[in-house]
Structures are given as structure tokens and as C-alpha cells.
């Protein structure tokens, strides 16, 4: 599985950004595509995820109602729409993939920086 994230940038608090993760694999049906973020000096944390096959989603509590994860099977991409951004959302965002039945996350894309200024 190969992943490539894009769409980061700098916005003011309350603004929006849309991240996109281009995904390629022989088949994506067994996978969940997830977004993580890592702020300076902090541990990497799960943000949101979506199962490729059924489209089931999961979010960390702090982004519920503000972020939406979606997949586009025609483009082979997973997007993260981020609205009402806060300075604490500032981080390097990564997309990754794991098999549904696994706890490990073996496939990672490069990060894309999101900076939210107050």
C-alpha cells in the first residue's frame, strides 16, 4: 500500500482546510485508511479513519463535528475536511493504512503540515 498526503497549509482560527490522501494498492477492501497528527513535542495521535469497503468512520472526540473523513473510490483517495480549525489543530498530519483485523499500522504516507494561527 502506498499513500501520499497533500493539502496542508496555513489558516487563521475558524478557517478550513481539506487534506487528501492518494492511496494505491492491489486491493483496498481489507483496509482502513486513517489520519494521524503530531504536534511539536507531542506524541502522534489518531484523528480520524474510514473503512475502505463499508465507509464506516471513526473520530477522536476533539474533532467530532468539525472534521469529516470521506473516501472516493474513483479517485482512490481519502479526504479529511477540516472546518472550524483551532490553533491546537496545528500539527503534521499523516495518512496511513491498516488491515481491518490488525492493530498495527504498517503503511504510512509522508506528512503534510497544518498551521492554524489565532
Amino acid at each position: 500500500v502506498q499513500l501520499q498526503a497533500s493539502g496542508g497549509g496555513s489558516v487563521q482560527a475558524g478557517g478550513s482546510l481539506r487534506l487528501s490522501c492518494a492511496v494505491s494498492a492491489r486491493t483496498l477492501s481489507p483496509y482502513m485508511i486513517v489520519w494521524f497528527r503530531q504536534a511539536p513535542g507531542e506524541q502522534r495521535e489518531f484523528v480520524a479513519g474510514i473503512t475502505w469497503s463499508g465507509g464506516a468512520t471513526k473520530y477522536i472526540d476533539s474533532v467530532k463535528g468539525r472534521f469529516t473523513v470521506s473516501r472516493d473510490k474513483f479517485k482512490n483517495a481519502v479526504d479529511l475536511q477540516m472546518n472550524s480549525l483551532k490553533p491546537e489543530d496545528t500539527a503534521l498530519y499523516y495518512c496511513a493504512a491498516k488491515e481491518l483485523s490488525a492493530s498495527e499500522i504498517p503503511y504510512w504516507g509522508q506528512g503534510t503540515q497544518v498551521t492554524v494561527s489565532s
Side-chain angles (χ1 to χ4, degrees), residues 77-105:
V78 171
D79 290 347
L80 183 67
Q81 177 66 42
M82 306 184 295
N83 299 327
S84 302
L85 283 162
K86 304 175 181 180
E88 50 264 43
D89 294 317
T90 295
L92 194 59
Y93 283 70
Y94 299 87
C95 59
K98 73 173 200 72
E99 293 189 30
L100 295 176
S101 58
S103 57
E104 299 83 14
I105 305 176

Side-chain angles (χ1 to χ4, degrees), residues 52-72:
W52 188 262
S53 180
T57 58
K58 187 175 182 179
Y59 299 91
I60 191 174
D61 284 347
S62 61
V63 308
K64 286 180 180 177
R66 300 189 298 123
F67 290 13
T68 303
V69 62
S70 61
R71 84 237 192 275
D72 187 326

Side-chain angles (χ1 to χ4, degrees), residues 3-114:
L3 307 103
Q4 184 167 353
S6 61
S10 298
V11 295
Q12 290 191 325
S16 298
L17 281 173
R18 188 177 185 91
L19 305 183
S20 187
C21 179
V23 190
S24 61
R26 181 174 297 181
T27 175
L28 290 169
S29 295
Y31 292 97
M32 183 176 196
I33 310 301
V34 294
W35 286 95
F36 274 72
R37 66 186 179 188
Q38 187 168 21
E42 302 289 334
Q43 288 191 336
R44 191 175 297 187
E45 69 171 354
F46 169 83
V47 176
I50 186 167
T51 61
W52 188 262
S53 180
T57 58
K58 187 175 182 179
Y59 299 91
I60 191 174
D61 284 347
S62 61
V63 308
K64 286 180 180 177
R66 300 189 298 123
F67 290 13
T68 303
V69 62
S70 61
R71 84 237 192 275
D72 187 326
K73 290 189 173 182
F74 294 103
K75 295 194 300 183
N76 266 20
V78 171
D79 290 347
L80 183 67
Q81 177 66 42
M82 306 184 295
N83 299 327
S84 302
L85 283 162
K86 304 175 181 180
E88 50 264 43
D89 294 317
T90 295
L92 194 59
Y93 283 70
Y94 299 87
C95 59
K98 73 173 200 72
E99 293 189 30
L100 295 176
S101 58
S103 57
E104 299 83 14
I105 305 176
Y107 307 107
W108 291 84
Q110 88 291 356
T112 185
Q113 179 67 38
V114 171

